[in-house]
Amino acid sequence: MSGSADLHRRLWKENADLARASLEHPFVQGLAQGDLDQDAFRRYVAQDAFFLRAFHRAYALAAAKCGPVTPLAILRRVESLMTGVLDELDLHAGYAEELGIDLDRVDPHPATFAYTDFLLRTAWEGEPGEIFASMTPCMRLYAWLGQELEEHDHPGNPYHEWIRTYGSEEFAGLADEMESLLDELAEDTDAVRDAYRYAMVCERDFFSAPLGRGE
């Protein structure tokens, strides 16, 4: 099976500017400081749940694209990542109950729709390596943000659970698994690099949506 060793490290390094922009984004800093407006967080939970459902479908399509001769071990790894998405959706369901959000009636923000449209179009039309390149930034960025924010977190922060979840060893392990699959299934091509970078742009823009920003 083709692949490119340590591709994930090169792509992450090349997109460090976008990772830093997400960390410094007012939404993420609001989570870190604990002063993010609750209505903004409510909008974020709704949009993220909409996104995660599309993300789960993209995993299923990626597994199908891997082909009939794909080693069972790879399919099991993809399945574990899909389970991780369902766990995230359970977390969001808890937030939704607490904040009074109907996750079955979410009107996607343009930034959310642009992201999910990109993911699903790539999953339908792209090769497995390109699909994983489009999905990896979400996992690695959230793990990195969680770890960065956790260094200064405190139990009194109303967003402590969000930070703890994404800063956990369990979530870091899922990000590691995703990057391992990327290395195994993707070649270092322009299409793979473009997919990774555009996903990072979408992540940055996604944090603006709950604040009513379109940049």
Side-chain angles (χ1 to χ4, degrees):
M1 186 167 294
S2 63
S4 182
D6 292 332
L7 175 60
H8 74 276
R9 290 193 178 90
R10 296 197 297 275
L11 292 174
W12 177 254
K13 183 177 180 179
E14 290 172 5
N15 291 279
D17 59 325
L18 290 170
R20 179 60 56 177
S22 290
L23 178 62
E24 296 173 353
H25 194 284
F27 180 89
V28 175
Q29 286 303 304
L31 292 172
Q33 301 300 323
D35 58 4
L36 178 69
D37 181 75
Q38 189 179 75
D39 285 339
F41 188 70
R42 182 182 292 110
R43 290 190 291 271
Y44 162 81
V45 169
Q47 296 299 309
D48 201 42
F50 182 92
F51 167 81
L52 286 170
R53 292 180 183 189
F55 201 70
H56 190 267
R57 293 197 297 275
Y59 270 130
L61 289 166
K65 284 288 188 73
C66 285
V69 296
T70 301
L72 183 59
I74 287 182
L75 296 179
R76 290 191 185 281
R77 289 158 67 189
V78 174
E79 182 181 17
S80 72
L81 290 167
M82 294 176 73
T83 299
V85 177
L86 295 178
D87 290 342
E88 283 188 78
L89 283 168
D90 286 342
L91 174 69
H92 285 52
Y95 288 138
E97 183 175 357
E98 178 183 344
L99 299 172
I101 305 168
D102 185 351
L103 296 182
D104 292 323
R105 298 174 62 87
V106 177
D107 183 18
H109 185 279
T112 306
F113 184 77
Y115 199 174
T116 57
D117 181 67
F118 159 68
L119 281 176
L120 294 176
R121 185 175 65 253
T122 303
W124 277 109
E125 300 175 0
E127 296 298 320
E130 188 178 346
I131 299 170
F132 280 101
S134 73
M135 299 178 71
T136 298
C138 174
M139 300 294 292
R140 175 48 61 199
L141 180 66
Y142 267 62
W144 182 71
L145 291 175
Q147 291 165 357
E148 290 289 312
L149 269 55
E150 197 170 34
E151 291 184 8
H152 307 288
D153 189 33
H154 56 88
N157 185 340
Y159 304 111
H160 170 74
E161 183 178 10
W162 189 97
I163 295 171
R164 182 186 61 80
T165 296
Y166 292 111
S168 67
E169 292 184 5
E170 290 79 6
F171 195 81
L174 292 173
D176 290 343
E177 187 69 272
M178 176 69 101
E179 290 177 331
S180 177
L181 284 168
L182 174 68
D183 287 350
E184 290 182 37
L185 299 173
E187 298 289 351
D188 191 349
T189 65
D190 288 343
V192 163
R193 288 174 176 273
D194 289 347
Y196 192 102
R197 177 121 188 131
Y198 185 70
M200 288 290 285
V201 170
C202 288
E203 286 291 337
R204 179 202 62 195
D205 293 348
F206 187 83
F207 289 128
S208 292
L211 303 179
R213 302 177 181 182
E215 67 269 23

